[in-house]
Amino acid sequence: MAASMRLGRRGVFIALRAIKPNKLTVHNRLITQNKCQRTAGWAGSGFRQLFQSPSVCAGAAPLKVQMPALSPTMEEGNIVKWLKKEGDEVAAGDALCEIETDKAVVVMESSDDGTLAKILVQEGSRGVRLGTLIALMVGEGEDWKQVEIPALEPVTPTTAAPPPAAGSAPPLTTTPLASALKQLRLSPAARHILGTHGLDPHLAKATGPRGLITKEDALQLLSRSDKGHPAPPAAAVAAPAPATVSTPIAPSTGRPTFPPVSVPGKPGMPGTFTEIPASNVRRVIAQRLTQSKSTIPHAYASVDCDLAAVINLRKQLATENIKVSVNDFIIKAAAVSLREMPEVNVMWSGDGPQALDSIHISIAVATPRGLITPIIRDAANKGLQEISATAKALAQKARDGKLLPEEYQGGSFSISNLGMFGISEFSAVINPPQACILAVGGTRSKLTLAPQDPDGPVLRTQQLMTVTLSSDGRLVDDQLASRFLEKFRTNLEQPQRATLP
């Protein structure tokens, strides 16, 4: 029996020697050295080659999903919502996630087929720079759980100043306050009391062990501040004060000790504030407004328009179940005026004026994320009903944050209407690189004296509306702006003429 066992073991060893080792690439050998350390003692044997199989030790090669540029002015974006979860099958063209750009919330689509293996940037992440790796995918048929996660780029730490050499004298700028800041120690109760009441902890007298400011010390400082008596300087200051001067140490920043330094997140206290994170839309609005007011010479001109004919025409159309707003007449009149005066339909570039071939009217829409200007394209060639339907659809998409880039980029003239908010007259800021923006106020009734007839003077009521044109002085001078406003008023007060194609 013992002889049979020896023969059996000998046969097993002969079979193992007959196994040919697999040829591994340098990459697989590196993976094997990192992931298959347990077989290191079996060098040269068949066992090592079996456990070093690339299909076992190596992960699936990933397909990188990076933050894309979804608008020409986009520099960073926010991940609003992931529409796929890890392990879901993804086809080219499927929606992966919703990204908030500098204009709207845009759906990001996949450009490859495969499986979403790893989400690296979670929902709610803000300020994700372009090109940042946000997710990983694997190809069809690959195990998504074995995806290789690439190493992230290390963040270079800020170089700290070298410590002073031992035995060297301290710098001349060192103050007693600096040493007090280093030695300041507070108990949790004292920290809560001082932070709640906005008191400077350096003014508390520390009585605890090793300079600890206790709850009793904080309460004593609070009682002294309530009585209006000045608090003594911190006891941890080692430098003695001059015998003839007993002035408390002032902060190095020069700020007074009361009211306290502003602290976020504590409403109701003096000197406090609340931090409000700015969305990408708000940041871009701030940049463009600053750019407009600092680089474009604004000129302003106003005119009153009589809306009696527009109001009467709206009533007639309503009887035929055709509903259009006054703003639709304004858009149409502005587009027709631009067609009749193409010298106003221009924009400024780095080389000078550029005449535009198309008339695209941008309408300002207020949204919870800020102001955005969707575009009614070829407005001069559209009828009132088509303008009305397009404006309503674009305004709703703007409020929902679903505008596509081509729906808010490329306008040639802007209109901002605040009449529905009770604003009678205002001036708007030009939307660069456009040359003009028309600010529309609300309507008001005014009694005027009609031309005399055989029966004598007659009073009549006018429905007037004030519009203000903000124009780029480099492109549209005062004389040209005045002629444009006169043309606009004519087209608005005679709507039958303006609505002609």
Side-chain angles (χ1 to χ4, degrees):
M1 182 176 180
S4 300
M5 293 177 62
R6 287 195 297 272
L7 290 175
R9 287 197 298 270
R10 184 174 182 182
V12 171
F13 287 126
I14 293 174
L16 291 176
R17 293 193 188 99
I19 297 176
K20 294 183 179 181
N22 295 329
K23 295 183 179 180
L24 298 179
T25 62
V26 175
H27 175 68
N28 292 332
R29 283 200 296 272
L30 292 176
I31 296 177
T32 302
Q33 293 175 5
N34 294 330
K35 298 185 178 180
C36 303
Q37 297 292 338
R38 295 184 178 179
T39 61
W42 297 344
S45 67
F47 290 102
R48 175 172 181 139
Q49 304 300 337
L50 286 174
F51 286 97
Q52 287 180 351
S53 173
S55 62
V56 177
C57 298
L63 303 174
K64 297 182 179 181
V65 180
Q66 297 175 330
M67 174 64 73
L70 299 176
S71 71
T73 58
M74 177 180 173
E75 296 180 357
E76 59 185 26
N78 303 333
I79 304 295
V80 178
K81 182 180 179 181
W82 280 99
L83 305 178
K84 298 287 185 179
K85 61 180 182 294
E86 296 180 359
D88 287 353
E89 297 291 333
V90 179
D94 287 355
L96 284 179
C97 63
E98 294 180 352
I99 297 177
E100 181 186 8
T101 69
D102 54 350
K103 294 291 186 180
V105 177
V106 183
V107 175
M108 174 185 174
E109 298 179 352
S110 174
S111 57
D112 299 301
D113 297 332
T115 304
L116 183 60
K118 185 66 176 179
I119 296 177
L120 301 178
V121 180
Q122 301 299 325
E123 294 181 0
S125 300
R126 307 180 63 85
V128 183
R129 303 291 298 179
L130 298 183
T132 302
L133 191 63
I134 61 175
L136 297 175
M137 293 177 53
V138 295
E140 295 180 344
E142 297 184 358
D143 188 3
W144 63 273
K145 296 182 180 179
Q146 301 295 330
V147 64
E148 296 180 0
I149 301 178
L152 301 178
E153 296 182 1
V155 179
T156 305
T158 304
T159 304
S168 60
L172 297 178
T173 56
T174 302
T175 61
L177 179 62
S179 60
L181 290 173
K182 296 179 181 179
Q183 300 176 5
L184 185 64
R185 299 176 65 246
L186 290 84
S187 67
R191 189 183 303 275
H192 175 72
I193 294 172
L194 296 177
T196 302
H197 296 277
L199 299 177
D200 188 358
H202 301 92
L203 301 179
K205 182 178 180 181
T207 60
R210 293 180 294 175
L212 178 68
I213 298 177
T214 63
K215 176 182 178 181
E216 290 74 18
D217 302 334
L219 292 176
Q220 290 181 5
L221 178 60
L222 178 61
S223 63
R224 290 196 299 269
S225 63
D226 292 339
K227 295 178 181 179
H229 298 303
V237 179
T244 58
V245 180
S246 59
T247 304
I249 300 173
S252 59
T253 58
R255 295 176 61 93
T257 57
F258 188 85
V261 178
S262 299
V263 179
K266 295 182 180 179
M269 295 298 298
T272 62
F273 61 91
T274 302
E275 292 182 348
I276 302 176
S279 63
N280 288 345
V281 177
R282 287 289 182 186
R283 284 196 293 268
V284 171
I285 290 175
Q287 293 173 359
R288 291 180 66 83
L289 289 179
T290 304
Q291 173 193 358
S292 177
K293 293 297 288 186
S294 59
T295 61
I296 297 178
H298 283 57
Y300 306 99
S302 300
V303 70
D304 290 336
C305 302
D306 188 357
L307 296 183
V310 172
I311 295 174
N312 292 333
L313 182 57
R314 286 189 65 207
K315 292 179 180 179
Q316 296 176 11
L317 295 176
T319 59
E320 302 176 8
N321 201 22
I322 299 176
K323 297 181 180 180
V324 291
S325 65
V326 175
N327 199 53
D328 300 330
F329 284 93
I330 296 172
I331 295 172
K332 181 64 176 180
V336 172
S337 301
L338 289 173
R339 183 175 61 189
E340 295 176 352
M341 297 183 62
E343 59 269 27
V344 182
N345 191 35
V346 294
M347 67 172 51
W348 182 268
S349 66
D351 299 330
Q354 286 185 350
L356 302 176
D357 299 330
S358 56
I359 300 175
H360 302 325
I361 304 298
S362 302
I363 54 174
V365 177
T367 69
R369 290 175 294 275
L371 197 68
I372 193 168
T373 53
I375 298 171
I376 300 179
R377 298 187 177 276
D378 297 324
N381 299 325
K382 286 183 169 63
L384 283 174
Q385 283 185 283
E386 188 176 1
I387 290 177
S388 179
T390 305
K392 291 178 181 177
L394 291 175
Q396 187 59 44
K397 292 184 69 174
R399 296 186 186 98
D400 296 338
K402 302 297 183 182
L403 283 176
L404 300 177
E406 58 270 16
E407 292 176 331
Y408 57 80
Q409 296 174 5
S412 59
F413 187 93
S414 294
I415 296 177
S416 179
N417 191 344
L418 295 182
M420 67 283 296
F421 299 106
I423 303 301
S424 58
E425 182 180 356
F426 72 103
S427 300
V429 181
I430 298 174
N431 184 19
Q434 297 177 11
C436 299
I437 182 171
L438 190 68
V440 182
T443 59
R444 65 187 186 277
S445 300
K446 183 179 178 180
L447 284 175
T448 60
L449 188 63
Q452 295 184 0
D453 56 18
D455 297 333
V458 177
L459 290 176
R460 66 173 182 174
T461 301
Q462 285 185 306
Q463 297 294 329
L464 298 182
M465 179 187 69
T466 301
V467 297
T468 302
L469 181 69
S470 302
S471 56
D472 187 343
R474 301 170 298 180
L475 298 169
V476 181
D477 55 22
D478 295 338
Q479 187 267 347
L480 183 59
S482 301
R483 291 197 296 114
F484 176 81
L485 284 177
E486 182 63 28
K487 180 72 66 175
F488 170 80
R489 179 168 61 180
T490 301
N491 290 326
L492 186 61
E493 292 180 350
Q494 301 176 14
Q496 294 85 353
R497 177 178 179 274
T499 53
L500 293 175

